[in-house]
Amino acid sequence: MSDIIKAQQGLARKAQANKEHRFEDLYHLLCKREWIEEALRHVLNNDGSQTPGIDGMSWKTFNDAEKSDFENEKFRQQFIDELQAELKARTYQPLPVRRVEIPKPGTSKKRPLGIPTVKDRTVQMLLKMVLEPIWEADFYYFSNGFRPGRCTMDCIQPLYKLCGTRTGYRWVIEGDIRACFDKIPHEHLLNAVARRIADTGILALIRRFLKSGIMIERTLVPSEEGTPQGGIASPLLANIYLHRFDEWYSHHYGVPDKQTDKRTYLAWQRRRFKGKDQAAVQMFRYADDWILVIRGTYASHRERLEAGASEDQGDDHKEYHQRRLRNQDTGHQCGHSRMGHVLPGGQPDGNLSQTRLLRLAPAEEMAGKEVSHRAKRGQTTVHATSTWAERRQR
């Protein structure tokens, strides 16, 4: 077992054992040569390594066919030496990302991507190698986007049971957060990271990435908000930010932890079996896309949503989602309601969630499709109880 894996497992165990611990003295891990070599290897093995940043450097630069293997290896070692020296001296400064636009599947719109340089991608991979084991201990089981060993099917698989005829879950809502990656406030994101990270060197490095700017053709545009899609660390940072949304849901609708709070869990269980008048909500999220499955009458569900929206969560923690409901049995559309949640920095009149109505097939039919789909892709179900190291190995 490599020293990198041992260090990551140690971070994961400590984060799991103490949910309030703030980690210090992490920056020195970024300066270790073994870590830099591993991060560069991941970057160059990635499919996007063929795409250069604003400096023109890509996979071909490290694997030049016109040069000998010795010369390519020499260039690689020089690259690592220079990056290690910059990180140790804390003089490393990321370059602006190169803005490109790619077609957005299913629409005529285009999705903006920010392409960092190879050096910046390497440092972002280093940050991910340090932060991911820590935050994986905090992320909820229903968050599946851009996490080790998880995929979109892990959001869909629980629906086969929940939407069966005996469970009583009949209301389905599916939606996403508009322009999530582009609108994340930097200060709120840094505050969210600082809940677990006390190392000022790590926080300063993340701030430099967020403020590095965007190069659109030959024009440098300052980056005042958002984490550019295309960066290696961007999905992890977005998950850290959206973790506040998961916490809000868990506090209002989630299942209490039986191990740490048995009394609350038993009270929740008694309420759960009272009958269909008791609304129950199950959420599954993949990055900025989410789906809600609700059991109970529309009146009871609307009452709980309005109760949640009426709570005072502070001006910096309000954003509104417009939602529409449809009954699975009748297909009857029942209008919409508004509710607040705790995504920091949201504005009441902007960044509304886009929602779509969902009508699911019977559980038996869906189960057959799920089995055949996973057999074709060779995927396996990752249980929520699996550890970060186990999912990473998958």
Side-chain angles (χ1 to χ4, degrees), residues 293-334:
V293 188
I294 302 101
R295 187 198 69 191
T297 63
Y298 175 73
S300 63
H301 172 59
R302 187 184 182 96
E303 181 180 348
R304 292 193 68 179
L305 288 182
E306 291 176 351
S310 64
E311 294 183 7
D312 183 13
Q313 300 170 32
D315 294 337
D316 290 337
H317 299 275
K318 287 184 179 177
E319 186 173 289
Y320 292 89
H321 282 230
Q322 186 170 352
R323 299 180 169 183
R324 293 189 175 183
L325 306 178
R326 171 166 291 192
N327 188 292
Q328 281 188 225
D329 294 332
T330 64
H332 176 63
Q333 182 175 324
C334 298

Side-chain angles (χ1 to χ4, degrees), residues 76-103:
R76 186 189 189 105
Q77 296 304 320
Q78 288 177 345
F79 176 88
I80 294 174
D81 290 339
E82 293 175 3
L83 179 56
Q84 185 180 31
E86 290 180 15
L87 289 173
K88 285 184 175 181
R90 306 205 177 196
T91 58
Y92 167 79
Q93 182 65 43
L95 295 176
V97 297
R98 182 169 67 90
R99 169 64 60 85
V100 297
E101 292 185 346
I102 62 173

Side-chain angles (χ1 to χ4, degrees), residues 51 74 96 99 112 128 160 193 196 222 255-256 267 273 284 286 353 394:
T51 307
K74 183 178 180 181
R99 169 64 60 85
K128 182 180 178 182
Y160 306 141
V193 176
R196 275 299 208 171
V255 180
F273 291 107
F284 304 96
Y286 192 92
S353 166
R394 290 192 181 98

Side-chain angles (χ1 to χ4, degrees), residues 104-123:
K104 196 172 183 179
T107 66
S108 59
K109 300 179 181 179
K110 292 188 175 181
R111 173 179 289 138
L113 293 182
I115 309 300
T117 64
V118 172
K119 180 183 287 188
D120 294 342
R121 278 178 255 182
T122 303
V123 178

Side-chain angles (χ1 to χ4, degrees), residues 63-81:
N63 299 272
D64 195 337
E66 297 181 358
K67 295 181 180 180
S68 65
D69 292 343
F70 175 79
E71 290 175 313
N72 285 328
E73 182 61 25
K74 183 178 180 181
F75 175 80
R76 186 189 189 105
Q77 296 304 320
Q78 288 177 345
F79 176 88
I80 294 174
D81 290 339

